[in-house]
Amino acid sequence: MYAKYTEMGGNRSSGSASTDTLTVSRALEIARNSEEAGVDPTVTAILERAISEIWQRLIARPDSYILSKEEFAVFNYFRNRFHGSDIAQRAVGRFWNSFQGETSNIDGYQN
């Protein structure tokens, strides 16, 4: 669903983006393991693009779009941004109503 993004850049310390292909899932992992002020700009750009695409899908189909596990993980990372949004609340409800499996299989979800 998501394209892979490539950063063109120089040397970086571990825990930040590199010149390798960076997926949304990997960007999310890096962001979660970084201090808030220390998130690599490439990682931030990938996640911002992903959440923008997800939100556009939800706006287009506010009563029927069901988030994938990866979309839910990204949406959960940005959950404070959508606090109080009826569209967001319904989307999360649809996700949980359709989810089958263990919650431990959802990236970033904590009980």
Side-chain angles (χ1 to χ4, degrees), residues 16-94:
S16 63
S18 70
T19 57
D20 296 332
T21 301
L22 188 62
T23 64
V24 172
S25 294
R26 179 70 180 122
L28 195 54
E29 180 183 343
I30 291 169
R32 284 194 187 115
N33 292 322
S34 300
E35 294 183 23
E36 189 171 325
V39 178
D40 185 280
T42 300
V43 169
T44 299
I46 289 169
L47 294 176
E48 287 292 343
R49 181 173 173 182
I51 194 64
S52 177
E53 291 172 3
I54 293 165
W55 187 245
Q56 290 306 310
R57 287 185 199 100
L58 288 172
I59 294 296
R61 296 174 43 205
D63 297 316
S64 61
Y65 190 81
I66 299 174
L67 298 164
S68 69
K69 286 194 309 185
E70 184 178 49
E71 287 174 322
F72 179 79
V74 173
F75 202 78
N76 193 45
Y77 180 78
F78 287 101
R79 68 186 169 272
N80 291 336
R81 183 178 293 185
F82 301 100
H83 181 74
S85 167
D86 187 51
I87 291 172
Q89 186 176 17
R90 291 190 328 253
V92 169
R94 281 192 305 277

